[in-house]
Amino acid sequence: MAENFIAEAFSLLAISLVVIALRWVSRVWTVGFRKLAVDDYLMVVAGALYSAETTVAYYVGNPWHGLANSGMTPEYRAALDPKSEEYRLRVGGSKNQLVGWLVYTVLLWTLKTCMLIFYSRLTDGVHNMRIRIRIGAVMLIVTFLATFLTILLGCQPIHRHWQINPDPGNFCQPAISKLQVAVLITLNISTDFYLMSVPLPMIWGSRLATKRKWALSVMFSGGILVMVAGILRCVLILTSGVNGPQQAGQWSIRESFIAVTVGNLPMLYTLFQRLHSSALTSLSSANAKSSDKRKSYPLGSYEPSAGGGGGGRGKKQK
């Protein structure tokens, strides 16, 4: 794996962890530590999963050198010595790819769950929203199980995921499996579309200013960026040939970074709003104090004594 991608992957991880930390700052500042919700703790789990995914993506290139059980002709497979270093690298790389797909799936659906829990708080008490949240919960459970089990059990027996010879077939090549790509892209996009549809009716049915409605709609539609990254990832995996394994690792990191950022945007928005308000309040207070110090007494508020001395009041002249 190229050195520039290693730097990119761990830089994106560092930024994501900072984003999650800022989310916690925002939530603790807003509701207090004791009132943190399930999604706040799940986001910490998401941070750990993203760290694991980055590590797995790093291993694609080092030590496995981007190799897996794909990108070989039948003749090449037959001639490859099971005791050779390349054979070992291809087996290890294939196992790494399988683990990467599973971690990636758990991470994405953890982030989706965080968003749904957040929406359940946001829409609490709003007419007809409870049923939409319940539908979303069922949808996430069903689609997660379908995706996870397809990746894990779509190739049987499971050791064929790293079989070299004979060719186990495309479904058993985890780096470029068309089955995994088709199931993931379909269920990933459908759940993202549904999640984006939950808060939008409430936003546009509110009495907020149109400009504010558009701003909130854009923020809650960030899932479009995640979908675009996911589609690019799947297309590149299927069209990159022997580079498919590396493309899978690289684009999973990029998509996950976007998903983590988008999933925390509402909390970051709240944090920056509060910081902006606090800054304005502090600035106004400082200006007021500065203005008080510059105040002068109005003319005639002090009357000198008759003798021209300092502090006494003079007598009225007739």
Side-chain angles (χ1 to χ4, degrees):
M1 187 179 293
E3 291 294 327
N4 58 348
F5 174 68
I6 295 175
E8 176 190 352
F10 284 97
S11 296
L12 294 179
L13 173 62
I15 295 171
S16 295
L17 295 179
V18 169
V19 167
I20 293 172
L22 289 175
R23 173 207 176 95
W24 267 64
V25 170
S26 175
R27 291 285 291 151
V28 171
W29 191 1
T30 304
V31 301
F33 186 81
R34 293 184 178 181
K35 292 186 179 180
L36 292 176
V38 175
D39 54 314
D40 298 313
Y41 294 101
L42 271 181
M43 192 57 70
V44 176
V45 175
L49 288 168
Y50 186 34
S51 301
E53 184 189 26
T54 302
T55 303
V56 171
Y58 170 77
Y59 282 166
V60 169
N62 183 16
W64 308 122
H65 303 293
L67 297 175
N69 65 344
S70 54
M72 294 180 284
T73 63
E75 295 76 19
Y76 192 93
R77 291 175 183 276
L80 190 60
D81 184 359
K83 296 181 180 180
S84 67
E85 178 66 8
E86 182 181 345
Y87 192 97
R88 184 187 71 84
L89 291 175
R90 287 188 178 277
V91 169
S94 299
K95 293 177 180 179
N96 192 87
Q97 288 288 336
L98 180 61
V99 172
W101 274 96
L102 294 173
V103 172
Y104 165 82
T105 301
V106 176
L107 170 59
L108 284 188
W109 263 260
T110 299
L111 292 170
K112 294 174 195 288
T113 303
C114 287
M115 288 302 295
L116 187 65
I117 295 173
F118 168 67
Y119 289 157
S120 70
R121 291 201 309 272
L122 187 69
T123 60
D124 186 35
V126 180
H127 183 62
N128 288 335
M129 280 299 176
R130 184 176 294 276
I131 185 64
R132 293 175 66 88
I133 296 298
R134 289 176 177 173
I135 291 172
V138 173
M139 190 176 185
L140 288 186
I141 292 171
V142 171
T143 54
F144 169 73
L145 290 175
T147 306
F148 191 88
L149 294 177
T150 296
I151 295 170
L152 187 62
L153 305 177
C155 169
Q156 287 296 315
I158 196 168
H159 67 78
R160 294 185 67 208
H161 280 290
W162 51 87
Q163 178 176 303
I164 304 298
N165 188 49
D167 188 344
N170 177 268
F171 287 3
C172 294
Q173 296 173 9
I176 59 171
S177 171
K178 293 179 181 178
L179 174 64
Q180 294 177 11
V181 167
V183 171
L184 179 69
I185 197 170
T186 302
L187 300 184
N188 189 22
I189 289 177
S190 62
T191 50
D192 281 343
F193 264 124
Y194 184 82
L195 289 175
M196 285 190 298
S197 74
V198 172
L200 295 181
M202 185 183 71
I203 292 172
W204 287 96
S206 69
R207 297 180 180 179
L208 294 171
T210 303
K211 186 177 179 180
R212 185 88 182 274
K213 289 179 181 179
W214 276 111
L216 291 173
S217 297
V218 169
M219 182 177 67
F220 286 118
S221 298
I224 293 174
L225 297 176
V226 183
M227 288 188 285
V228 170
I231 292 171
L232 282 173
R233 176 181 187 263
C234 292
V235 170
L236 288 170
I237 287 172
L238 296 177
T239 59
S240 296
V242 294
N243 293 322
Q246 287 194 349
Q247 292 292 343
Q250 292 175 10
W251 278 93
S252 68
I253 293 300
R254 292 163 185 156
E255 182 184 355
S256 298
F257 168 73
I258 296 172
V260 169
T261 304
V262 168
N264 287 288
L265 273 180
M267 287 68 181
L268 296 184
Y269 176 79
T270 302
L271 175 64
F272 292 137
Q273 249 194 342
R274 290 177 69 92
L275 288 173
H276 182 256
S277 299
S278 296
L280 289 180
T281 301
S282 299
L283 185 61
S284 299
S285 177
N287 287 338
K289 290 180 179 178
S290 176
S291 177
D292 287 342
K293 288 180 180 179
R294 291 196 300 267
K295 278 183 179 178
S296 56
Y297 291 101
L299 191 64
S301 62
Y302 175 77
E303 297 180 14
S305 62
R313 280 187 180 273
K315 294 180 180 178
K316 275 188 177 180
Q317 295 182 1
K318 295 182 179 179

